[in-house]
Amino acid sequence: MADAPLLYSAAVAPSPSDPVCIVGASGALGFGLAVRLGRAGVPIVIGSREPDRAEQTAARALAEVPGGSFTGHDNDAAVRAAGTVILSVPFRNQSETLANLHPALAPGQLLIDATVPLAASVSGKATRMIGVWQGSAAQQAREMAPDGVRVVSALHTVSAASLRDLDRTLDEDVLVCGDARADKRAAAAVIERIDGLRCVDCGRLETARITESLTALMISVNARYRTHAGVRLTGLPDELWG
């Protein structure tokens, strides 16, 4: 029988030394997040359906960031090893992945969902979206996650190529949606460990249907201008999280 999942306190903000699990780190966005966070001193636990693949991804990340802390495990073990989990998988895999992770996810754990329901997941165009019954991929994640897991939506407009290029200076905003400000603040504390990323509170989780669709927009813009543009909101106060 698998070990019972740990319990996490929603009242305690993650510290820089707390490990972060990335499910889907073998993909472009997940790997970019792994090396950027790893370079910032965050211990990274990489999860994959295949433990060998996770270990290979961890070794590749360590080669990019010597001195970083990267370990690879199967998804279940990886999720149990961290209070914060970033889900960075194609939309076609989101439902199955969450169903398999249900026994490992624990109340109080923070789940940052970066899934985008692009039509490309069903052989359509990457500049088109798929309708999701729940309203957004993030709302589907909340519906599938165990009670008490804190689901936040983020990272949909950040270029995977920009993250992956460690010589590139980032200067963009990350649009964060969630139903509890404390949860969004906790997600921001993790994401803003990456230099050049600023998190903006965009409202409740239902707003994720809008922020997720911006991925398709950014793909179109970047293809047209052959670049890796990001989003920056103007006119905001200096202090966003209090």
Side-chain angles (χ1 to χ4, degrees):
M1 180 182 295
D3 294 336
L6 299 174
L7 299 179
Y8 299 91
S9 173
V12 178
S15 75
S17 61
D18 289 339
V20 170
C21 169
I22 301 179
V23 175
S26 58
L29 179 65
F31 187 77
L33 290 169
V35 294
R36 287 278 183 169
L37 286 170
R39 189 172 68 169
V42 178
I44 301 299
V45 185
I46 292 171
S48 174
R49 289 176 296 180
E50 303 172 9
D52 289 346
R53 188 176 186 183
E55 291 171 1
Q56 291 168 5
T57 302
R60 186 159 57 98
L62 186 60
E64 293 283 333
V65 186
S69 174
F70 303 96
T71 58
H73 307 276
D74 65 83
N75 282 336
D76 189 277
V79 166
R80 293 175 187 270
T84 298
V85 178
I86 299 176
L87 183 63
S88 177
V89 297
F91 180 68
R92 63 180 177 272
N93 300 126
Q94 187 206 36
S95 178
E96 179 184 5
T97 299
L98 286 171
N100 291 336
L101 289 178
H102 197 278
L105 290 165
Q109 206 164 16
L110 179 66
L111 176 63
I112 302 174
D113 183 72
T115 311
V116 183
L118 291 174
S121 66
V122 290
S123 301
K125 292 185 177 181
T127 53
R128 295 179 182 174
M129 302 289 290
I130 297 173
V132 183
W133 284 108
Q134 293 85 348
S136 66
Q139 288 170 290
Q140 176 170 275
R142 182 181 61 184
E143 183 177 279
M144 296 193 67
D147 291 342
V149 172
R150 303 178 293 155
V151 178
V152 171
S153 172
L155 298 163
H156 299 101
T157 61
V158 181
S159 164
S162 295
L163 287 171
R164 175 68 178 78
D165 182 1
L166 295 177
D167 293 327
R168 183 185 180 98
T169 299
L170 302 178
D171 182 24
E172 57 189 275
D173 289 336
V174 177
L175 310 180
V176 182
C177 304
D179 289 337
R181 186 167 174 80
D183 299 346
K184 290 179 282 188
R185 186 183 294 114
V190 173
I191 295 168
E192 289 183 349
R193 291 282 293 167
I194 299 176
D195 288 340
L197 296 186
R198 180 183 70 164
C199 290
V200 178
D201 186 344
C202 292
R204 296 184 64 81
L205 198 66
E206 64 185 12
T207 312
R209 69 186 188 280
I210 300 171
T211 57
E212 290 174 5
S213 68
L214 292 179
T215 299
L217 175 67
M218 298 309 298
I219 290 172
S220 180
V221 169
N222 288 332
R224 184 172 298 276
Y225 291 100
R226 298 182 181 180
T227 188
H228 302 295
V231 167
R232 186 73 175 179
L233 302 182
T234 63
L236 294 175
D238 293 335
E239 177 55 62
L240 298 182
W241 295 96

